[in-house]
Structure formats: structure tokens, C-alpha cells
Amino acid sequence: MSGNVVHLHKDADPEPLADEAAVTTLTVVPDPPAAPPVPLWLRSGRAVRTVVTHEATKTTARTVARHGLYVVGGARIVTRRAWDGRTAARYERMLRAAEAAGNHEAAADWEERGQRYRDARHRRRMELLRSPVDAAKGAAVGAGMGIGGLVLLGIAMAIATKDASDVVTPLMAVVKFINLLITIVQVVWGPLISIGPFLALLALWTVGSKQQAAPQWALPAHIRSGEGEPITPSIVVKALRDLSIAPLKNAIKEMGDAGAAMLSPIVIAGCGVEVDVTLPSGVSTFEVQKRRRKLAENLTRHEHEVFITIPPAARTVRLWIADSGALDEPIGPSPLVTDETMTANYKTGRAPWGQDLRGDLAEMSAYQRHLLITGLSNQGKTASLRALALWLALDKSVQFWMGDLKGVGDWAMFDGIADVLIQGPTDEHVIQVTEMLEDAVDEMNRRIAARNADSAVVFPPLIVLVDEAQVAFMCPAVGEDKRPYGGAKATSRYFTAARKLHNQGRAVDVLLWQGTQDPTDQNLPKLVREGAHTRASLALGTESQARMALGDKAVNGGAAPHLLRQGLDKGTLVVASDGIAIPKGQSSITVRTHFIDDDEAQAIADRAKALRDGVTTLHAVERGEERDALADIAHVIGDAPRLRTQDVLKRLSTLAPDAYGDWSPGDLTRVLDGTAAEPYKSDGRMVVGRDHIARALAERDADGSVSASE
């Protein structure tokens, strides 16, 4: 490093300095080696790559390739058309297509048509063999007659002009005309030969461009994307062919271009088109259904824009394909809003609920049908349920008992229409709603008893409506009789009341309408959901939830609420019911419901109130005097060792008419169930034992619990 050290002195004295501090040492660091220059060939390669990969270069190359391939594709199309026109190839393809589809009747018809074509072609060919001789004879006769006619014309001219040379004037005129034609051909022939190939190429390019006969990568961007592309038979066949179903793909290959023979005519259906596809042998409808997303993408649509259902015909799927983006457009206001003169009829009328996918009015009958609407939160469940109730409110004979377990005012406009309107999400509100259902069961039993006494009696319809019913099923509250309000067990009060209404309420027009969200076996028990005659579902998360909401039959038939888009398909319902017109062979229908906002709902409710004489709405179920049923039963038995159940009921009714006046043997059994004091048979009659009741009271008091009657 000594070569890189320089000593600097403070003066010019050449003598060495004794003071080492006076010496300053500077270390000189050599510069790093310079980077080697980039070779010219590498710089040129990068520039070439930039040019080649530039979007403008790609677009230019794609354009040149596209127009060149249009000519090739046009030539292929023209050749195919010429071949089909000169041979029986078309008939052979249709015959193979019919055989592949299993349609033997159509196959026989195409075979007969092909044979007729061959016979006609044979006759034409035989006529061509005889045509030269016939043509020669005809030409000779025609020439002779033509020359003779011209000579006669010349003679007439010579007589008229008295000039013998005019005899050949017509003949010379014809000769000069022929010479003129030859001259014209000689002049035109050369340029025609030169530009003829270009005209032919132009014709082929025109055919190819109209048919877009070029590979997908060479087509313009808007065509490559296929966004909004109209649905044609060839597009449907290609989409089916590319579903990765081997038997279907092979069958379509055997059909050639006639794969469209599988398709019915494509018809306009609302904001889309509809087509039935008869699948070849060996391909099941389920295989196509489970590939809905891939089929939609093959059709250049989103998954929610393609619906697959099963029509009555065997081995057939029905495709409804929406126009691109059409399902994102609103459907317009409800007739309840636009027609202020509209009224309702519970028995014969139908509620204008919305539109189906065809664009037709979807109308729902409420007559003697329990209803269940479910879906994920904030998808339009309350609005859909409320639209039906608002329509039915325009029939002044219909009574409403309502429980809104959300309690944010969604049903406030029914104050003055409903006889009972409970609003709130707490356990106390659940208890009130449960007691409302139990009162509805009592009303149902009263009507049944009256109907048994007089079959001609008619009752006003009673709609018992519970919104957010999952809150009731999940309620942890337990009554003083140790029976839970929520849950799905036989002891659950809400569950039991709902089941009783489902079992017999329809016969006397006591109907239960429920709205619930995010269904599970816990918040929507199986027996309750299957008791509804009309089942409708908004968007759901899974197929298992769709089966809970609509049932296996509807989902197996193509119903797919779990494929609706959460947040984007608000108000779109998949409905399984005999109360709405469903296409023959289908088990469900998709309905886009009309949205009625709060102000519009209030206006409709005001019209409904004007039809009624005035209804005083209760906001809580009135409770009677709290009584200890077990203690009252012990009291009426007295000192007797046992007492017949009928006598127990009579004595209870006398003791407290308000509490026990309408009790039946079933109510007595329900209260004693699980207490070890249940009624039993003695001498062939049902009795209640005094000792059993005393033991049940002792055990209950030991537990510190108190039983209250309902």
C-alpha cells in the first residue's frame, strides 16, 4: 500500500520531521473497473423484442392474418356448399345426427329424402347423356329456320327497294354483329383474365368475413370477448361440445355440422332466449346441470345468466340464456303502486309479485297455502313477503296477526290493518309471538269444532305472519312450565304451535306465513319447512341450504338459489309452489319481485285501511291470570284415588273458566307430560291418579319450579 500513500508537510524543509502528528496520510482508493459496453447485437435484440411485443405490432399482425384467413375460410365454406349441392352429403349428416340423437323416425325420413335426391340426380345425368344429340338437332333446325327467315326478310327488302343486293343485307348484319361480339370479347378478355382471380379472392373474402371464418385469436377484440354475442344454434352446439363430456362430444362429431339437430327452435323468452336440447344416448341431464358455469362461459355469459331446467321430454335439458347484462336491469314498479284501483280476492285472486325470466307477470295465489320465504340476510326477504301481504290486505275480509322479530318498523304500516302487531327482537317479543301462534291454534280448533257442527259455516281468512322466525326457533327462554319457547323438540312451544297450524290450519283458512334467513336445521326445523305449501328462496350460500329451503325435488329439477349472486340479485326468488304458474315439467320458477319501498307501502296500506271499518291493533297478546295447572288438577281431584280425564276437565273449567274453559284432553295430556303423572287407563277409561299428581307436585317443589297454565 506504500505506493498509494502520500506524505504532505507543513513547510518546505526537506529535513525529516520529528513530530509524527504533523504528518497527514491520505489513502488513495483506486476507481472500480468500468462496466463492459453492451454488445450491439444485444441492444438490437432488445429493440426487436420491444417492437415485436408492442400492442400495435400484435394488432397489425392479427389484422393481416385475419383477412388472409378470411379467404381460406371462405374457400372452405364455398367448397362445402358446392359439395353439399352436388352430393347427398347433407342428407347423410342429418341422418347420422338423427341416429345419434336416438330419433329413428327422423332418421328414416332423412334416409327417404336422400334416396329421392339420388333418384332425381340419376335422371338428370341420363338426360345429360342424351342432350348433345338433342342439342345438335335443335341447333340444326334453329339455324336452318334462322337463315331461311333472314333470306325471306332480305327478299322482302329487295322487293321494297328494288335493289337485288338487299337480299343478303340481313345476313350481313348478323355477320357484322357476331364480328362485333368477337371484337368485344377480344378487348375484354385480357383484362378479365387479369382481374378475374382478384374478383374471386374478393368473393371468397366476403364469404369468410361474414361468417367470421378465422381462428379466435385472429378476430377483433370485441368479437373475441363474445360479450353480448347473440345465441345461435352453432354457438349452443359448440358450447355443449366443449363441456368435457366425452359421449356428448363424440356424438356431436359424428353429427358433423348438423349437431344443431339436437336443438329445438331457439325462441325469444323475455330478456333472453330459450332452447330445448335433446341429449344423445349415454349423456344424462345431471352431467349437463352440474357444468352450468362452464356452459355459461362457453356461451359467453356469466353463470347467473344461464338457467338449466328439466322439461317433460326424456333426456332433455331446457336452457334459458339471458341477454348479456339484462338481469342487472330493474323490472319496473309494482302494479300495486301504479294501479290505485287494484283490489284483492283471497280465494280467486293472484298477487302481482313480479316477473319471471321470460318477462311474463308472475302472479301468486295465497288461497289455503302456508308460506315460507328464506334467504341470506339483506337480500329482500322482508320486501318480498310484505308485497304479498300488502296485496292481500286489499281484501277487507282477510285478518292479520303479525309478529316482526326484527322490530325496525318494516311492518309498521299494518298498524290499523292487523289485529295483532308485535314488533321487537327480544325474548319477551318471542314469548308474545309464541302466544300469538298458540292463540291461532285455539282459533283453528274453534273453527274446526264449528265446521264439524255445521259444514256450511264460512270463516274469514286469518294470516298469522312471523318475520325473522329464526329468532323464535333460537330463543333460549323457558316458560314457568319448564317448556322452552324456542328449539325444535316436541316440547318447544313455538315449534309445536307452528306444526299444529301446518297440520290443520289450511282447512279452516288459518295460514302461517314465515320469513327466515340463512336456514339451518336449528333455526328452521325440517318439519316446519316441509309444512309450507309455497316455498321461496332468495340467494343462499350452499346447495344444502337450497335443499332445506325448497326441497330435494326442486333442486334436483334445476332450482339453484345458491347460485344467485348475493347483493346483486336482491329480490330474485326461486319459487316452488302450485300457487304460481310454472312451465310444464319444471318443479320451480325464478321470479324477479317488484320492490315496494316504505313510502309506497304506506300508501297501499292507507288504501287497505280505507276499505275496512277500522281495526284496533293490539301490540301485545293479552295474558290471562297466571295459574298453577298441576296444583289446580290436584285440587279438583280432591280425596278421590283417581278421576276420569273428562271429569277433571269439567271441574277445571268450573274452577277457572277463563284458563281451562276450552281445554281438551290433549291439553291435559300436554301439561302432565313428563311429570310421571300422565293419564293412564283404568277399567278401560283414561284417568288421572291422585297419588301421581301429589308425587309430581312434591318433586317439582323440591326443584323450586312452578308450572303455569297457558
Side-chain angles (χ1 to χ4, degrees):
M1 296 296 292
S2 59
N4 294 328
V5 176
V6 179
H7 295 282
L8 300 178
H9 301 282
K10 294 184 178 179
D11 53 31
D13 189 353
E15 293 182 2
L17 295 175
D19 188 4
E20 291 296 328
V23 179
T24 302
T25 301
L26 296 180
T27 302
V28 179
V29 180
D31 294 333
V38 179
L40 180 61
W41 64 268
L42 183 57
R43 293 199 303 269
S44 301
R46 290 174 178 172
V48 170
R49 185 177 63 179
T50 301
V51 172
V52 170
T53 58
H54 195 275
E55 188 61 33
T57 305
K58 291 181 180 179
T59 303
T60 302
R62 191 180 293 118
T63 301
V64 173
R66 177 170 67 251
H67 291 288
L69 291 169
Y70 278 165
V71 176
V72 177
R76 184 175 64 252
I77 293 171
V78 170
T79 302
R80 188 62 173 271
R81 289 174 180 175
W83 179 257
D84 286 346
R86 301 294 298 174
T87 67
R90 178 185 293 109
Y91 301 97
E92 292 293 336
R93 285 200 307 274
M94 300 301 290
L95 173 61
R96 290 197 302 271
E99 288 177 342
N103 192 340
H104 300 293
E105 182 179 351
D109 180 58
W110 283 112
E111 183 177 17
E112 182 182 353
R113 292 187 185 186
Q115 189 58 46
R116 288 201 301 267
Y117 171 82
R118 294 185 185 93
D119 292 342
R121 183 180 59 185
H122 177 71
R123 287 195 300 271
R124 289 194 302 272
R125 288 177 176 175
M126 295 305 296
E127 291 172 356
L128 284 175
L129 292 176
R130 295 190 298 269
S131 61
V133 177
D134 295 338
K137 291 179 179 179
V141 173
M145 293 180 63
I147 293 173
L150 292 174
V151 171
L152 290 175
L153 180 58
I155 293 172
M157 291 177 62
I159 294 173
T161 60
K162 298 180 181 180
D163 185 357
S165 62
D166 286 343
V167 173
V168 296
T169 298
L171 286 173
M172 295 307 296
V174 172
V175 170
K176 290 179 180 179
F177 178 72
I178 293 173
N179 184 59
L180 176 62
L181 291 179
I182 293 173
T183 302
I184 293 173
V185 170
Q186 288 175 341
V187 173
V188 174
W189 184 255
L192 187 62
I193 290 297
S194 301
I195 66 173
F198 295 101
L199 294 176
L201 290 175
L202 179 61
L204 295 177
W205 178 88
T206 302
V207 173
S209 63
K210 287 184 177 180
Q211 299 294 324
Q212 299 294 333
Q216 190 73 12
W217 59 265
L219 296 175
H222 68 281
I223 297 178
R224 290 199 309 274
S225 67
E227 193 71 25
E229 186 177 9
I231 300 300
T232 62
S234 61
I235 289 176
V236 176
V237 171
K238 289 177 182 177
L240 293 168
R241 182 194 63 195
D242 297 337
L243 281 181
S244 302
I245 302 175
L248 179 59
K249 184 176 181 179
N250 294 335
I252 292 176
K253 282 183 178 179
E254 293 178 3
M255 298 176 192
D257 287 345
M262 299 188 302
L263 311 182
S264 69
I266 298 177
V267 297
I268 296 176
C271 57
V273 297
E274 190 175 78
V275 59
D276 285 355
V277 181
T278 302
L279 300 174
S281 178
V283 182
S284 71
T285 56
F286 175 72
E287 289 180 287
V288 177
Q289 277 187 301
K290 69 181 182 180
R291 290 172 171 83
R292 174 182 171 184
R293 173 175 294 181
K294 188 169 187 178
L295 177 61
E297 292 172 350
N298 291 346
L299 292 167
T300 65
R301 295 294 190 273
H302 297 291
E303 184 178 13
H304 72 277
E305 294 176 328
V306 175
F307 289 80
I308 305 173
T309 54
I310 309 299
R315 212 171 66 241
T316 302
V317 293
R318 177 167 294 160
L319 306 180
W320 185 85
I321 307 161
D323 298 335
S324 184
L327 294 183
D328 297 326
E329 299 294 330
I331 63 171
S334 169
L336 287 172
V337 176
T338 58
D339 184 2
E340 295 185 357
T341 63
M342 176 175 286
T343 58
N345 187 297
Y346 163 75
K347 187 172 183 179
T348 62
R350 290 178 176 268
W353 210 5
Q355 293 180 3
D356 62 17
L357 295 179
R358 287 174 163 268
D360 298 330
L361 185 64
E363 298 178 307
M364 170 63 70
S365 171
Y367 179 62
Q368 293 189 342
R369 290 179 177 87
H370 299 298
L371 173 68
L372 171 66
I373 298 180
T374 187
L376 297 177
S377 176
N378 194 33
Q379 297 304 301
K381 168 181 53 63
T382 297
S384 301
L385 184 60
R386 190 174 68 179
L388 288 179
L390 285 169
W391 173 80
L392 199 55
L394 295 175
D395 182 346
K396 63 181 181 180
S397 68
V398 178
Q399 300 174 349
F400 290 95
W401 294 3
M402 292 183 165
D404 173 16
L405 294 178
K406 183 188 296 181
V408 295
D410 289 336
W411 298 89
M413 68 286 303
F414 279 85
D415 193 347
I417 297 176
D419 295 294
V420 179
L421 177 59
I422 301 167
Q423 301 179 88
T426 67
D427 290 350
E428 179 61 27
H429 292 102
V430 172
I431 293 171
Q432 290 284 331
V433 168
T434 301
E435 292 176 348
M436 179 183 75
L437 258 66
E438 291 172 340
D439 288 346
V441 172
D442 293 339
E443 172 64 15
M444 175 189 72
N445 292 333
R446 184 191 68 78
R447 293 185 178 193
I448 292 174
R451 178 69 57 82
N452 291 334
D454 182 3
S455 60
V457 65
V458 178
F459 303 104
L462 172 59
I463 305 299
V464 183
L465 188 151
V466 181
D467 195 13
E468 305 296 343
Q470 78 279 356
V471 176
F473 285 112
M474 301 301 291
C475 178
V478 178
E480 294 179 349
D481 59 355
K482 302 185 69 173
R483 294 181 62 206
Y485 287 92
K489 296 182 179 179
T491 55
S492 167
R493 292 178 62 176
Y494 184 92
F495 171 79
T496 302
R499 286 294 301 142
K500 288 180 179 180
L501 292 175
H502 279 164
N503 288 339
Q504 296 177 295
R506 171 182 173 275
V508 288
D509 294 308
V510 179
L511 304 179
L512 178 60
W513 288 11
Q514 296 181 97
T516 183
Q517 63 175 261
D518 202 8
T520 65
D521 284 327
Q522 289 71 39
N523 65 24
L524 188 60
K526 178 180 176 65
L527 292 178
V528 171
R529 62 183 185 245
E530 291 188 350
H533 303 98
T534 295
R535 299 167 72 173
S537 176
L538 297 134
L540 288 172
T542 64
E543 181 178 332
S544 62
Q545 287 185 315
R547 293 184 181 276
M548 290 181 190
L550 300 177
D552 290 336
K553 179 181 179 182
V555 175
N556 292 338
H562 55 291
L563 296 181
L564 295 173
R565 301 167 299 166
Q566 184 177 0
L568 297 177
D569 290 325
K570 284 187 177 182
T572 299
L573 285 167
V574 182
V575 183
S577 172
D578 61 352
I580 192 170
I582 296 177
K584 185 179 180 182
Q586 294 181 203
S587 56
S588 65
I589 188 172
T590 301
V591 177
R592 303 171 68 198
T593 59
H594 295 293
F595 176 70
I596 302 175
D597 63 31
D598 290 346
D599 292 338
E600 293 169 341
Q602 185 62 58
I604 298 169
D606 290 341
R607 285 157 42 197
K609 293 173 187 177
L611 297 174
R612 301 166 186 259
D613 295 332
V615 175
T616 301
T617 299
L618 299 178
H619 295 280
V621 176
E622 296 180 355
R623 301 179 183 178
E625 178 187 359
E626 296 287 345
R627 299 195 64 89
D628 185 343
L630 201 58
D632 285 345
I633 293 172
H635 174 73
V636 298
I637 292 176
D639 296 331
R642 68 187 64 85
L643 194 66
R644 290 189 307 167
T645 55
Q646 292 293 339
D647 293 335
V648 171
L649 291 173
K650 289 179 181 178
R651 294 183 182 185
L652 285 173
S653 179
T654 302
L655 176 66
D658 292 338
Y660 306 115
D662 56 353
W663 266 34
S664 66
D667 294 311
L668 181 61
T669 301
R670 174 176 54 78
V671 169
L672 297 178
D673 188 30
T675 64
E678 295 89 346
Y680 62 94
K681 275 192 176 183
S682 176
D683 296 330
R685 295 185 177 184
M686 297 300 295
V687 299
V688 178
R690 178 193 62 191
D691 294 340
H692 295 169
I693 295 294
R695 189 181 308 115
L697 278 170
E699 291 177 357
R700 189 194 67 182
D701 293 340
D703 293 338
S705 60
V706 179
S707 175
S709 72
E710 297 181 7

